[in-house]
Amino acid sequence: MQRSTLFTFLYLALGVCLTAIAFGYPNLPSGLQTSLLISAGVSYIACIFNPFWRERTIRFYRRRRNSSVILSSLVIGLTIIGIIWEVLSQNWAMEAFLGAFSQLIIVLGFAENIVIIRQVNSEN
């Protein structure tokens, strides 16, 4: 039996929040609502397959030691910079915040990757 981690519950919580936002604001543009629902679906799928993600991450890390941490950190940094840029360029509009909120699945996935690698390093 695979065990659930904190990230399993974070994916589930993110999916519930994104779904609630998508259905809670009926006046959202259809593209933004679709983006929120797709991100919620990806979050639910990540919640289901999260126990398998740990083994895949460990196997990838053992083949390419430091590139996994560097790549994860780079993706997180670029995503956060992109989120900030989008919010600032749209003059702090609510649609910009909701669009940025739908990109949190990327940050959460790569943050989990870093945590898994840190745990593997502490075990060795």
Side-chain angles (χ1 to χ4, degrees):
M1 171 98 186
Q2 299 290 333
R3 64 185 180 115
S4 298
T5 63
L6 172 68
F7 283 97
T8 305
F9 300 110
L10 289 175
Y11 287 126
L12 182 62
L14 180 63
V16 168
C17 289
L18 291 174
T19 304
I21 290 170
F23 290 131
Y25 291 100
N27 297 332
L28 287 177
S30 64
L32 181 57
Q33 190 172 22
T34 304
S35 172
L36 287 170
L37 289 174
I38 288 172
S39 293
V42 169
S43 180
Y44 291 135
I45 291 170
C47 177
I48 292 169
F49 291 112
N50 188 12
F52 305 108
W53 178 255
R54 179 176 171 82
E55 288 113 28
R56 306 268 305 164
T57 302
I58 291 171
R59 268 191 254 136
F60 180 79
Y61 173 68
R62 287 194 175 134
R63 278 186 272 144
R64 295 175 184 88
R65 284 276 179 196
N66 293 329
S67 63
S68 182
V69 175
I70 293 170
L71 177 68
S72 297
S73 301
L74 183 65
V75 170
I76 289 172
L78 291 175
T79 304
I80 290 174
I81 289 171
I83 288 170
I84 292 171
W85 181 266
E86 181 180 342
V87 169
L88 290 177
S89 68
Q90 293 185 15
N91 204 16
W92 299 88
M94 178 61 98
E95 288 83 13
F97 278 111
L98 295 177
F101 195 57
S102 68
Q103 295 178 6
L104 286 178
I105 186 71
I106 298 169
V107 174
L108 189 59
F110 283 101
E112 180 184 15
N113 188 19
I114 292 173
V115 168
I116 290 170
I117 291 169
R118 300 283 180 193
Q119 289 174 348
V120 169
N121 282 340
S122 68
E123 290 172 1
N124 292 336

